[in-house]
């Protein structure tokens, strides 16, 4: 054991050189076998043969140098050493000569890569000089003085300068050839040349410093073994450049090699120290240290790479890590991940492409098991292979047309290609480095599940959205038939049959009204679903001020429960009402969700009940059901989190939170397990200065110069008159409806405002007014009710809304008063009844049911409705008729609504065009805003349609 250790430590450099020689020999054999196994490269083998010969001589040169670092140097005679040195010169000289031949071949522009006469002359002359100067005795080396293993000096002959000068010339000519290659217009060749030049320069530098300066000038041959050892760098860099079309960046090579080298040094230094201090227990420590090295190698390597990474790349990190870290963005969104990835790899057009017939060529390319497509690989393959498959040429042409240089296939769980990531560098002369390719492959091996999942979700959203959108058409048809039943059957039978039958008809009419309300609510929720599926943020452009108590009461009336007994267990306290700025539909969604969750436990908790209270811009919805644990409360508003219910999907409360945030408010929950659960809806406070004068300019503009009759007690009339202060209105007050109505023939008013109590007690006079007993002007005068006591008008709407056109809130502050007036203006209720008579409206829609529904609604208001089933027909109707207003469907076969509107605007720019659309995305909203005047969402409801019609045919003209 000791003798073996002594032999190894004595000849360690020799063993090291022999190992390097063997590695290069194996590499040469591998490269030759690779060349032989590719018959398609036969016409190019003359390029690679010089490289094989060059590496073979390098291997022999290193092996001959190992002799001078072994014990054979002192065991054999000086003559053997001289002969070995001369052989080493021949090996090195021939290696450099064939390296030059190789560089001439790859830069040759002649057919079959032939050499020029000058190159042939230099080549043959160099071979002759190398052989003659090292075969003829005493010309190059005269003798060698040997002192110890690796310690010797060489005595050169008088003509040795010829040999070494020739080598320097050959090396310089080789570099010149590689520089010529570097100027090649092919990007891949420039990169290859960089590697080759780097290898040769590294070798020349070490050879010049050690063999020429140190050895020849200073006669110091102690480091003569280093240039042969370092020649392995040149061999592998050139071989790497030849063998590959993908390359690591210089920084990454330094990062990997330096961190590995430092880690190796860390474990070698203790062994060297043991040898220097001649510790007797060295064999034992070697075994122990080997075990320690095996256990800690990966741990220390990770630490060293972490430090090297910070030093070389600073804070940016290496490309592999930077790319693989983007997986966090892919978890959020594919678009976000791709955007971040493009920035990291400096790509200008990277995108995810779904597999389709358009990219069948790419799909076929990967069927052979390839895991990435690089245009640089393909170009090299096509250049080296004359008889390449035509399919590869087609793939190359497609990449060129798409301006793509890299394609990464993305697989699903069944290893089937579903998408491609295609990209190219911002700079056309840049290549993707190996570390970038490695990072991309690692990234998409992990990101594929997020991409495919998002694609499935997107398809599901499109399908769900399409279903929700298509539901609109049958809903429109149902609404139309509801209207026909109501107008053609129920209204006619009320006047023609006996009182008992009339009671039954009234019940049917009530049920029909409930069906209409449910249908309208379903339509509104379809709009919510479509907005959510589109991923759109909740738009606030159509938010209005609403009474919280009013909307809550309305929502409770619309909310469906399993039984009347369940309905009695919901208690609403309407005191402390307040106004908020938001959407009635979205508010109903939130309240319905909370009620549904609480009512779910009514059967399992028979004593539970729900209480809804208002307090300081807050709504408290409290139920005495099972309660919620603290752990459940933490995740309550997370998407897809559900508990306790079999059919829950966990989206309801998450969307409720989104709605409340769009109101600039919040939703929170407090619960005690087994006692209660309380949700609190918090709305932002709305501040308005009440200085006795209305502040809304739109109200002032609309009511200025109007005449108003106020029917109430003198005290309340005075207060209401003060509320109208500053509007420049003609106001008359009375507490006798009968007397005031009889005077309306001679002294008409624009509208009447009546106290709620007087409306109830004088209902007969109001009914007579509407029947025309007080004249036609009185019959068409709008009537509005105001609340003189703290009652909730919403509870009496069914009974009092028959002859009244709206409600004015006078008890809940200036904001409530202004909001109620604004709602009346928005719904065109200040206009005289029957104000739409003799107006002509064009309805353009390819769906017959949609046109019928609009016609049914507007015809009742005296509107003359003209139908058009296409854009072309609409243009003809505009040319033939005097149209006051146009309702235009957006999506129609042939000419769509947007293009039709553009053509109509060229014919008549004054006629308002209102979009009649089943969806309202951002692009459609932009087009409507640019081309049309307003929009209404299908399926429409009568009040919205009539209000919008009145707005454009009456209100806007009043404003003008």
């Amino acid at each position: 054991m000791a003798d073996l250790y002594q032999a190894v430590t004595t000849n360690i450099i020799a063993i090291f050189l022999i190992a390097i020689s063997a590695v290069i020999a194996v590499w040469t054999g591998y490269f030759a076998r690779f060349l032989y196994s590719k018959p398609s490269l036969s016409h190019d083998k003359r390029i690679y043969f010089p490289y094989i010969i060059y590496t073979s001589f390098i291997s022999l040169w290193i092996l001959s140098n190992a002799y001078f670092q072994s014990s054979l140097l002192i065991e054999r005679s000086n003559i053997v050493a001289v002969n070995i040195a001369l052989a080493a010169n021949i090996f090195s000289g021939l290696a450099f000569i064939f390296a030059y031949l190789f560089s001439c071949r790859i830069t040759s522009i002649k057919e079959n890569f032939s050499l020029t006469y000058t190159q042939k002359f230099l080549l043959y002359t160099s071979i002759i000089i190398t052989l003659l100067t090292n075969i003829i005795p005493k010309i190059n080396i005269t003798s060698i003085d040997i002192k110890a293993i690796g310690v010797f000096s060489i005595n050169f002959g008088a003509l040795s300068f010829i040999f070494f000068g020739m080598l320097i010339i050959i090396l310089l000519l080789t570099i010149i050839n590689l520089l010529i290659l570097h100027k090649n217009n092919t990007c891949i060749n420039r990169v290859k040349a960089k590697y080759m030049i780097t290898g040769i320069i590294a070798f020349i530098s070490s050879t010049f410093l050690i063999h020429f300066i140190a050895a020849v000038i200073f006669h110091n041959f102690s480091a003569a073994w280093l240039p042969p050892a370092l020649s392995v760098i040149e061999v592998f860099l050139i071989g790497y450049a030849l063998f590959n079309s993908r390359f690591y960046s210089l920084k990454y090579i330094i990062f990997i090699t330096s961190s590995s080298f430092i880690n190796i040094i860390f474990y070698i230094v203790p062994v060297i120290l043991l040898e220097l201090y001649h510790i007797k227990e060295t064999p034992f420590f070697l075994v122990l240290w080997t075990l320690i090295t095996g256990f800690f190698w990966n741990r220390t390597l990770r630490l060293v790479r972490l430090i090297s990474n910070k030093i070389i790349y600073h804070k940016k990190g290496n490309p592999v890590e930077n790319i693989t870290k983007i997986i966090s963005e892919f978890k959020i969104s594919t678009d976000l991940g791709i955007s971040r990835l493009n920035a990291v790899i400096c790509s200008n057009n990277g995108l995810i492409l779904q597999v389709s017939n358009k990219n069948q060529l790419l799909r076929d390319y990967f069927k052979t098991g390839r895991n990435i497509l690089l245009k640089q690989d393909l170009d090299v393959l096509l250049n080296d292979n004359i008889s390449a498959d035509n399919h590869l040429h087609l793939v190359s042409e497609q990449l060129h047309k798409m301006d793509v240089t890299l394609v990464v296939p993305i697989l699903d769980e069944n290893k089937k290609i579903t998408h491609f990531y295609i990209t190219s560098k911002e700079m056309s002369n840049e290549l993707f480095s190996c570390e970038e390719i490695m990072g991309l492959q690692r990234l998409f091996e992990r990101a594929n599940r997020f991409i495919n999942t998002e694609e499935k979700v997107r398809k599901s959203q499109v399908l769900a959205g399409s279903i929700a959108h298509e539901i609109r058409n049958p809903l429109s048809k149902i609404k139309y038939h509801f209207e026909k039943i109501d107008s053609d059957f129920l209204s006619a039978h009320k006047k023609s049959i006996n009182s008992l039958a009339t009671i039954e008809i009234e019940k049917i009419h009530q049920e029909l009204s409930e069906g209409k309300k449910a249908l309208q609510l379903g339509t509104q929720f379809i709009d919510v679903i479509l907005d959510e599926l589109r991923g759109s943020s909740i738009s606030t452009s159509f938010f209005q001020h609403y009474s919280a108590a009013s909307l809550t009461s309305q929502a409770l009336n619309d909310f469906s429960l399993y039984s009347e007994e369940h309905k009695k267990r919901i208690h609403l306290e309407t005191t402390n009402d307040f106004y908020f700025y938001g959407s009635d539909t979205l508010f109903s969604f939130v309240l319905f969700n909370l009620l549904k969750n609480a009512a779910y436990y009514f059967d399992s908790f028979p004593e539970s009940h729900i209480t809804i209270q208002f307090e300081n811009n807050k709504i408290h919805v409290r139920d005495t059901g099972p309660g919620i644990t603290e752990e459940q409360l933490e995740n309550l508003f997370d998407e897809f989190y559900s508990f306790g219910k079999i059919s829950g999907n966990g989206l309801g409360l998450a969307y409720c939170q989104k709605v409340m945030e769009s109101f600039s408010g919040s939703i929170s929950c407090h619960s005690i397990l087994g006692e209660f659960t309380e949700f609190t809806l918090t709305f932002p406070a709305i501040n308005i200065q009440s200085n006795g004068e209305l502040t809304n300019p739109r109200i002032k503009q609309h009511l200025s110069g109007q005449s108003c009759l106020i029917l109430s007690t003198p005290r309340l009339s005075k207060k209401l008159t003060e509320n109208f202060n500053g509007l420049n209105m003609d106001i008359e007050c009375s507490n006798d409806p009968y007397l005031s109505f009889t005077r309306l023939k001679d002294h008409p008013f624009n509208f009447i405002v009546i106290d709620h109590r007087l409306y109830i007690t004088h209902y007969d006079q109001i009914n007579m007014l509407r029947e025309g007993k007080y004249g036609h002007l009185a019959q068409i005068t709008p009537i509005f009710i105001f609340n003189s006591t703290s009652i909730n008008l919403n509870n009496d709407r069914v009974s009092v809304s028959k002859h009244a056109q709206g409600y004015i809130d006078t008890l809940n502050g200036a904001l409530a008063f202004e909001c109620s007036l604004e709602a009346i203006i928005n719904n065109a209720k200040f206009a005289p009844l029957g104000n739409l008579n003799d107006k002509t409206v064009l309805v353009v829609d390819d769906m017959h049911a949609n046109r019928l529904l609009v016609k049914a609604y507007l015809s009742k208001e005296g509107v003359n409705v003209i139908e058009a089933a296409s854009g072309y027909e609409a243009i003809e109707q505009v040319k033939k008729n005097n149209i006051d207003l146009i309702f235009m469907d957006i999506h129609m076969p042939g000419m769509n609504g947007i293009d039709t509107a553009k053509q109509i605007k060229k014919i008549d720019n004054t006629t308002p065009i209102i979009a009649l659309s089943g969806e309202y995305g951002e692009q459609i909203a932009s087009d409507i805003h640019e081309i049309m005047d307003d929009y209404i969402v299908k399926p429409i409801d009568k009040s919205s349609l009539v209000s919008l019609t009145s707005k454009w045919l009456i209100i806007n003209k009043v404003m003008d």
Side-chain angles (χ1 to χ4, degrees), residues 515-578:
K516 289 181 184 179
K517 288 166 62 178
L519 197 61
Q520 182 60 32
L521 191 63
T523 301
Q524 293 172 340
F525 284 143
I526 286 176
D527 296 337
V528 172
I529 292 170
L530 288 174
D531 284 340
E532 185 65 12
L533 289 175
R534 284 191 288 264
S536 306
S537 57
I538 296 176
S539 174
T540 61
S541 57
F542 299 101
F543 280 12
Q544 297 180 23
H545 288 99
Y546 294 98
S547 161
S550 174
L551 284 188
T552 304
S553 299
Q554 182 179 335
L556 286 177
N557 288 331
D558 295 338
F559 184 63
S560 299
L561 288 164
Y562 294 111
S563 66
E564 283 297 320
E565 182 63 29
H566 282 182
K567 198 163 189 176
K568 292 177 182 178
R569 290 160 68 174
I570 302 177
H571 308 289
L572 172 64
E573 299 179 13
T574 58
T575 55
N576 301 316
D577 186 21
F578 61 89

Side-chain angles (χ1 to χ4, degrees), residues 534-708:
R534 284 191 288 264
S536 306
S537 57
I538 296 176
S539 174
T540 61
S541 57
F542 299 101
F543 280 12
Q544 297 180 23
H545 288 99
Y546 294 98
S547 161
S550 174
L551 284 188
T552 304
S553 299
Q554 182 179 335
L556 286 177
N557 288 331
D558 295 338
F559 184 63
S560 299
L561 288 164
Y562 294 111
S563 66
E564 283 297 320
E565 182 63 29
H566 282 182
K567 198 163 189 176
K568 292 177 182 178
R569 290 160 68 174
I570 302 177
H571 308 289
L572 172 64
E573 299 179 13
T574 58
T575 55
N576 301 316
D577 186 21
F578 61 89
Y579 275 73
F580 70 91
Y581 187 69
S583 163
D584 54 348
T585 301
L586 294 175
F587 177 83
S588 298
F589 179 91
V590 173
L591 201 60
F592 280 10
N593 204 276
L594 299 182
L595 292 174
K596 181 186 66 175
N597 289 341
Y600 178 84
Y601 298 99
F602 272 1
D603 291 333
S604 53
F605 289 80
E607 301 301 321
S608 66
H609 60 272
I610 302 171
T611 304
I612 303 175
Q613 297 176 314
F614 305 90
E615 176 196 12
N616 298 328
N617 288 82
K618 293 181 180 180
I619 301 178
H620 301 281
V621 182
R622 184 186 184 104
D623 72 86
T624 55
I628 304 173
T629 66
E630 291 185 5
E631 182 182 356
Q632 291 165 345
L633 281 173
E634 291 179 0
N635 305 303
L636 196 60
F637 297 102
D638 294 344
E639 290 186 348
F640 303 107
Y641 179 76
S642 180
F643 66 92
K645 292 184 293 183
I646 299 174
S647 59
N649 56 27
L651 289 174
L653 288 176
Y655 191 73
C656 288
Q657 186 178 53
K658 186 177 179 180
V659 169
M660 289 305 299
E661 288 173 353
S662 73
F663 293 169
S664 298
S666 63
I667 181 172
S668 59
C669 181
H670 174 61
S671 180
I672 296 179
L673 192 63
E675 295 187 20
F676 71 89
T677 299
E678 181 175 292
F679 285 91
T680 302
L681 307 177
T682 304
F683 299 83
I686 301 177
N687 298 318
I688 184 169
Q689 294 179 352
S690 180
N691 54 8
E693 182 177 331
L694 292 173
T695 58
N696 192 317
R698 190 160 182 266
I699 297 175
K700 290 182 179 182
Q701 184 182 12
H702 193 86
L703 295 182
S704 179
Q706 298 282 306
S707 60
C708 169

Side-chain angles (χ1 to χ4, degrees), residues 46 59 101 138-139 164 191 202 208 334 379 460 510 515 584 665 668 701 708 727 729 776 864 887:
R46 64 174 64 238
S59 177
L101 174 60
K138 308 295 183 179
I139 291 179
F164 289 108
V191 177
F208 181 77
T334 298
D379 290 342
S460 299
Q510 182 63 31
D584 54 348
S668 59
Q701 184 182 12
C708 169
L727 291 179
M729 291 176 58
H776 177 68
N864 176 32
F887 284 99

Side-chain angles (χ1 to χ4, degrees), residues 7 74 153 197-198 250 298 306 520 633 641 654 660 718 780 854 926:
I74 58 176
S153 60
I197 292 170
T198 302
L250 182 61
N298 288 332
L306 182 64
Q520 182 60 32
L633 281 173
Y641 179 76
M660 289 305 299
K718 180 181 179 182
I780 65 173
V854 175
S926 175

Side-chain angles (χ1 to χ4, degrees), residues 109-181:
I109 60 174
K110 289 190 172 186
E111 187 177 356
N112 295 325
F113 309 101
S114 299
L115 304 183
T116 65
Y117 290 111
T118 304
Q119 290 171 336
K120 290 179 180 178
F121 173 77
L122 289 173
L123 186 66
Y124 296 142
T125 302
S126 301
I127 293 174
I128 292 170
I129 291 173
T130 299
L131 294 176
L132 291 179
T133 55
N134 291 285
I135 291 175
I136 300 174
K138 308 295 183 179
I139 291 179
N140 198 346
I141 298 176
T142 58
S143 62
I144 298 178
D145 299 328
I146 301 172
K147 299 178 181 178
I149 296 175
V151 182
F152 59 91
S153 60
I154 299 175
N155 300 310
F156 293 98
L159 300 179
S160 61
F161 72 92
I162 297 176
F163 171 73
F164 289 108
M166 179 274 298
L167 289 185
I168 293 174
I169 293 172
I170 288 296
L171 287 173
L172 291 176
L173 291 174
T174 303
I175 293 176
I176 291 172
N177 281 339
L178 294 178
L179 289 174
I180 293 173
L181 179 65

Side-chain angles (χ1 to χ4, degrees), residues 115 193 208 268 378 380-381 418 445 493-494 506 635 639 660 671 746 770 791 794-795 852 854 903 920 945 953:
L115 304 183
F208 181 77
I268 286 180
L378 201 57
V380 170
L381 182 61
T418 58
E445 283 173 2
H493 280 68
K494 282 183 187 179
E506 284 290 349
N635 305 303
E639 290 186 348
M660 289 305 299
S671 180
D746 302 319
R770 284 291 179 249
I791 61 170
N794 295 285
N795 294 335
L852 288 178
V854 175
Q903 295 299 321
Y920 194 68
L945 180 68
L953 295 184

Side-chain angles (χ1 to χ4, degrees), residues 355-598:
V355 171
S356 66
N357 292 331
K358 292 181 180 180
N359 44 54
Q360 182 66 37
L361 284 171
L362 297 180
R363 184 165 51 180
D364 292 342
Y365 178 86
F366 289 103
K367 282 183 178 179
T368 56
R370 301 179 176 100
N371 56 11
I372 199 165
L373 171 57
L374 271 173
K375 193 173 185 300
Q376 62 200 59
D377 285 352
L378 201 57
D379 290 342
V380 170
L381 182 61
L382 293 175
N383 288 334
D384 290 346
N385 192 341
I386 294 177
S387 59
D389 187 355
N390 185 54
H391 175 260
L392 297 180
H393 289 281
L394 294 175
V395 172
S396 180
E397 290 176 6
Q398 183 172 2
L399 293 181
H400 179 72
K401 290 178 181 178
M402 298 168 64
D403 190 24
V404 169
T405 57
L406 180 142
V407 180
V408 182
I410 299 171
L411 313 178
D412 61 10
E413 62 274 9
N414 298 320
K415 303 302 180 183
K416 180 182 178 182
I417 299 175
T418 58
H419 300 80
F420 298 112
Y421 172 68
I422 61 174
T423 186
S424 60
K425 285 285 190 180
E426 287 180 355
M427 303 295 291
S428 58
N429 60 348
E430 287 187 37
L431 295 178
F432 283 97
S433 64
C434 270
E435 63 266 27
E436 287 177 327
I437 296 169
M438 186 192 309
L440 287 169
Q441 289 178 309
R442 290 182 184 178
L443 172 65
F444 286 112
E445 283 173 2
R446 298 174 60 195
N448 60 347
R449 64 180 185 273
F450 300 114
I451 295 169
N452 285 306
T453 300
E454 185 174 302
E455 179 67 20
K456 290 178 182 178
V457 171
R458 188 191 66 80
K459 288 180 179 178
S460 299
Q461 287 177 331
V462 171
L463 178 61
S466 177
I467 292 171
H469 181 66
E470 290 304 320
I471 287 175
R472 292 177 180 278
N473 291 326
L475 287 182
S476 295
K477 200 165 186 179
I478 293 171
K479 291 184 74 172
Y480 169 71
H481 288 297
F482 276 2
E483 290 297 326
K484 292 291 287 182
I485 292 171
D486 192 8
S487 61
D488 297 349
F489 179 74
L490 296 182
S491 297
H493 280 68
K494 282 183 187 179
K495 300 178 181 179
S496 61
I497 56 180
N498 58 50
S499 60
L500 181 62
T502 302
I503 294 173
E504 297 298 325
I505 292 298
E506 284 290 349
K507 289 182 180 179
I508 296 174
H509 180 77
Q510 182 63 31
E511 294 297 327
L512 193 62
S513 298
E514 291 298 320
K516 289 181 184 179
K517 288 166 62 178
L519 197 61
Q520 182 60 32
L521 191 63
T523 301
Q524 293 172 340
F525 284 143
I526 286 176
D527 296 337
V528 172
I529 292 170
L530 288 174
D531 284 340
E532 185 65 12
L533 289 175
R534 284 191 288 264
S536 306
S537 57
I538 296 176
S539 174
T540 61
S541 57
F542 299 101
F543 280 12
Q544 297 180 23
H545 288 99
Y546 294 98
S547 161
S550 174
L551 284 188
T552 304
S553 299
Q554 182 179 335
L556 286 177
N557 288 331
D558 295 338
F559 184 63
S560 299
L561 288 164
Y562 294 111
S563 66
E564 283 297 320
E565 182 63 29
H566 282 182
K567 198 163 189 176
K568 292 177 182 178
R569 290 160 68 174
I570 302 177
H571 308 289
L572 172 64
E573 299 179 13
T574 58
T575 55
N576 301 316
D577 186 21
F578 61 89
Y579 275 73
F580 70 91
Y581 187 69
S583 163
D584 54 348
T585 301
L586 294 175
F587 177 83
S588 298
F589 179 91
V590 173
L591 201 60
F592 280 10
N593 204 276
L594 299 182
L595 292 174
K596 181 186 66 175
N597 289 341

